[in-house]
């Protein structure tokens, strides 16, 4: 990569925040927003040249947006909810986000009761044709109390997503205002300038998504023009292969140089591709540990990614580390691992440490939670042809797990539960941090 394309050190933190959330807001990140605004041309040129991701500056709205368009978008990305064990927003929440934005564009300041009634009327008019789901929010003879409460909670989640991204503000607690049939006087205020920046793709109507099979929708929505969304039978160009490889590298915790089956050459295996990819990773402030068959990308600052594995003392994270410790040491490290195998492993661990995972009655539930952690970190891949089966990636060989076992208190016969932790000599565990491998 040419030297002028490397990011200035003053822009590195802004680039990391844009990588993680796709936006910089004046009110939440004033220092980084002003730094990015001052040198937005250099920042935009870097993302355009190296990743073909458009950067938009909306100074009136106090917002800088990075559109991370990927035709191979990860299936586990999207707005995340805080309230339960299903962090990704469901279909109903996503629909309510769109409907709320539609109503707030017309009236930027509304009471939550008015907003809820307006959305319910729109859904009632379209639900008969199957275009929108039913959205009753008041208990009646046809509507159970459970359904009405679920719909109100879904609207609260939708508004929380809009609050978190800075599109709207509210003047009271959403959960309390929507807790029962009679919504409170909470007022929702929207910024029309922020609403105008939410549309990052071409119109679904212009793209005629109804005429395309579902597996082509992502490619159509990530197209730069109406002409680009038509499926092409020709082999991808070198530039397309380069973009696919480097986008996966900087946006995912692990990347396989041979992952794209349409590639005729492994771009990251070439001398030019390897050098350019390492320069892009370094420019953003990330660190790459490289094997011939795997790239593991780490974020020492914790700002460029929403994945914080192996940090955390949750039982699910401990179980993920306990499973990761055994994967490289099996007789066949590349063999698939099943849900039964993982549950048996955890059962053996609890037999030695009776207090470990005591809140889990079924080990299969803990096993599923552990595989979700490792899948999100790029260390396991679900087998599409077999249920409850996963394949280890080469990234498992970059980790070494060490158990910190405190001495039991005097007079205690039961040892304390294990506390697995990632072992990286000389450093504290950081997101995606592997043990030393074959460094570039």
């Amino acid at each position: 990569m040419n030297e002028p394309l490397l990011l200035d050190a003053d822009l590195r933190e802004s680039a990391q925040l844009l990588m993680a959330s796709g936006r910089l807001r004046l009110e939440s990140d004033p220092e980084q927003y002003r730094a990015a605004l001052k040198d937005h041309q250099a920042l935009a040129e870097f993302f355009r040249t190296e990743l073909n991701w458009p950067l938009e500056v909306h100074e009136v709205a106090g917002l800088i947006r990075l559109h991370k368009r990927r035709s191979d978008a990860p299936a586990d990305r999207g707005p995340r909810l805080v309230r339960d064990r299903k962090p990704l927003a469901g279909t109903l929440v996503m629909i309510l986000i769109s409907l709320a934005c539609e109503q707030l564009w017309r009236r930027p300041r509304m009471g939550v009761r008015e907003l809820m009634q307006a959305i319910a009327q729109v859904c009632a008019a379209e639900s008969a044709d199957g275009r929108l789901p039913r959205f009753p929010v008041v208990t009646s003879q046809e509507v159970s109390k459970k359904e009405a409460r679920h719909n109100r909670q879904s609207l609260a989640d939708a508004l929380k997503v809009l609050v978190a991204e800075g599109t709207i503000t509210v003047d009271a607690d959403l959960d309390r205002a929507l807790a029962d049939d009679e919504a409170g006087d909470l007022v929702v205020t929207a910024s029309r300038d922020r609403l105008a920046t939410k549309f990052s793709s071409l119109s679904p109507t212009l793209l005629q998504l109804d005429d395309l099979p579902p597996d082509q929708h992502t490619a159509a929505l990530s197209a730069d023009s109406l002409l680009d969304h038509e499926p092409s039978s020709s082999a991808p160009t070198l530039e397309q292969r380069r973009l696919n490889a480097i986008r996966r590298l900087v946006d995912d915790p692990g990347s396989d140089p041979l992952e794209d089956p349409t590639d005729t050459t492994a771009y990251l295996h070439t001398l030019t591709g390897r050098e350019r990819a390492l320069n892009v990773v370094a420019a953003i402030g990330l660190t790459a540990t490289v094997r011939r068959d795997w790239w593991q990308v780490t974020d020492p600052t914790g700002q460029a990614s929403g994945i914080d594995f192996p940090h955390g003392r949750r039982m699910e994270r401990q179980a993920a580390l306990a499973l990761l410790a055994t994967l490289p040491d099996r007789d066949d490290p590349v063999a698939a691992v099943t849900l039964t195998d993982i549950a048996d492993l955890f059962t053996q661990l609890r037999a030695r440490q009776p207090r470990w995972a005591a809140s889990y009655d079924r080990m299969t539930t803990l096993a599923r939670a552990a595989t979700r952690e490792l899948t999100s970190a790029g260390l396991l891949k679900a087998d599409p042809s077999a249920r409850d089966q996963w394949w280890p990636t080469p990234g498992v060989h970059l980790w070494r797990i060490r158990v910190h076992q405190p001495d039991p208190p005097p007079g205690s016969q039961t040892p304390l539960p294990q506390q697995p932790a990632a072992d990286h000599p000389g450093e504290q565990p950081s997101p995606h941090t592997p043990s030393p491998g074959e460094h570039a």
Side-chain angles (χ1 to χ4, degrees):
M1 188 172 64
N2 296 330
E3 190 67 23
L5 293 179
L6 291 174
L7 277 179
D8 187 88
D10 294 337
L11 292 175
R12 185 168 295 170
E13 189 172 348
S14 299
Q16 291 173 351
L17 294 173
L18 285 167
M19 288 289 302
S21 63
R23 58 177 60 83
L24 276 175
R25 292 181 287 148
L26 175 60
E27 67 274 15
S28 60
D29 302 295
E31 183 177 351
Q32 299 309 321
Y33 172 84
R34 293 189 180 95
L37 182 63
K38 179 181 178 181
D39 294 325
H40 69 274
Q41 292 181 342
L43 198 60
E45 180 66 13
F46 171 80
F47 282 117
R48 184 193 65 81
T49 305
E50 301 304 331
L51 297 160
N52 197 25
W53 285 344
L55 184 76
E56 294 181 352
V57 177
H58 304 276
E59 193 168 357
V60 175
L63 181 70
I64 299 176
R65 282 207 62 185
L66 176 67
H67 299 291
K68 296 165 62 175
R69 294 178 175 176
R70 288 180 59 176
S71 57
D72 58 342
D76 60 345
R77 305 290 174 87
R80 292 187 173 271
L81 308 178
V82 181
R83 63 184 177 90
D84 55 23
R85 293 186 179 182
K86 297 179 180 178
L88 286 180
T91 303
L92 179 59
V93 174
M94 298 298 291
I95 293 174
L96 292 176
I97 289 174
S98 300
L99 294 176
C101 289
E102 178 188 19
Q103 298 300 322
L104 291 168
W105 178 260
R106 297 170 182 173
R107 292 179 56 193
R109 182 179 174 85
M110 297 179 67
V112 70
R113 186 183 305 176
E114 297 174 291
L115 177 62
M116 190 163 52
Q117 291 174 348
I119 293 175
Q121 290 173 0
V122 173
C123 289
E126 300 287 345
S127 60
D129 298 332
R131 297 182 179 181
L132 288 175
R134 292 178 70 249
F135 185 66
V137 292
V138 179
T139 305
S140 65
Q141 292 182 350
E142 295 82 13
V143 180
S144 67
K145 187 175 182 180
K146 180 179 179 181
E147 181 182 3
R149 186 188 299 115
H150 171 71
N151 287 337
R152 291 194 302 272
Q153 182 62 61
S154 297
L155 179 59
D157 288 336
L159 295 179
K160 286 178 183 178
V161 171
L162 293 174
V163 170
E165 67 181 28
T167 303
I168 68 172
T169 58
V170 295
D171 63 352
D173 182 75
L174 280 165
D175 289 323
R176 183 174 300 177
L178 296 171
D180 46 33
D181 290 355
E182 293 297 327
D185 341 348
L186 180 143
V187 176
V188 181
T189 306
S191 166
R192 275 188 170 171
D193 294 319
R194 294 279 175 90
L195 287 173
T197 66
K198 286 188 65 64
F199 305 101
S200 60
S201 65
L202 299 171
S203 167
T205 304
L206 293 176
L207 292 172
Q208 300 178 347
L209 290 185
D210 291 342
D211 300 331
L212 292 176
D215 59 352
Q216 295 181 16
H217 285 186
T218 301
L221 289 170
S222 61
D224 292 326
S225 71
L226 286 171
L227 301 178
D228 294 337
H229 84 277
E230 297 293 338
S232 175
S233 58
S234 59
T237 63
L238 177 61
E239 180 67 9
Q240 290 171 336
R241 295 198 300 270
R242 180 186 73 82
L243 287 174
N244 287 340
I246 297 185
R247 282 172 174 176
R248 287 199 305 266
L249 200 63
V250 301
D251 202 34
D252 294 332
S255 184
D256 186 349
L258 302 174
E259 187 175 17
D260 191 346
T262 62
D263 285 354
T264 55
T265 61
Y267 178 76
L268 296 180
H269 274 174
T270 65
L271 182 61
T272 301
R274 178 188 177 98
E275 188 67 22
R276 187 162 188 174
L278 288 173
N279 284 338
V280 172
V281 168
I284 303 175
L286 306 178
T287 303
T289 303
V290 183
R291 285 169 49 110
R292 292 182 180 275
D293 54 355
W294 195 256
W295 287 55
Q296 191 84 30
V297 179
T298 70
D299 175 20
T301 66
Q303 293 187 130
S305 172
I307 302 174
D308 61 354
F309 184 81
H311 286 311
R313 300 180 62 85
R314 293 187 294 110
M315 192 59 60
E316 297 82 3
R317 194 65 57 82
Q318 290 186 17
L321 288 170
L323 172 58
L324 180 58
T326 66
L327 291 176
D329 299 327
R330 297 181 299 160
D331 294 336
D332 184 4
V334 299
V337 59
T338 66
L339 185 68
T340 304
D341 297 334
I342 303 171
D344 291 343
L345 169 66
F346 292 164
T347 301
Q348 296 172 14
L349 291 176
R350 190 154 70 176
R352 296 196 296 266
Q353 304 286 342
R355 291 172 55 190
W356 183 73
S359 59
Y360 279 88
D361 296 329
R362 300 175 59 187
M363 286 292 99
T364 54
T365 304
L366 182 59
R368 292 185 191 278
T371 56
R372 283 196 297 268
E373 295 283 352
L374 295 184
T375 301
S376 67
L379 301 173
L380 284 180
K381 285 186 178 180
D383 190 337
S385 60
R387 180 179 172 82
D388 294 335
Q389 181 168 290
W390 296 265
W391 294 92
T393 68
V396 301
H397 297 286
L398 299 176
W399 292 74
R400 295 294 180 268
I401 309 301
R402 188 174 51 184
V403 177
H404 297 284
Q405 181 72 34
D407 295 331
S412 173
Q413 299 299 320
T414 304
L416 295 177
Q418 293 182 349
Q419 301 285 342
D423 182 17
H424 191 205
E427 297 182 10
Q428 294 297 318
S430 61
H432 309 166
T433 304
S435 297
E438 181 184 350
H439 288 270

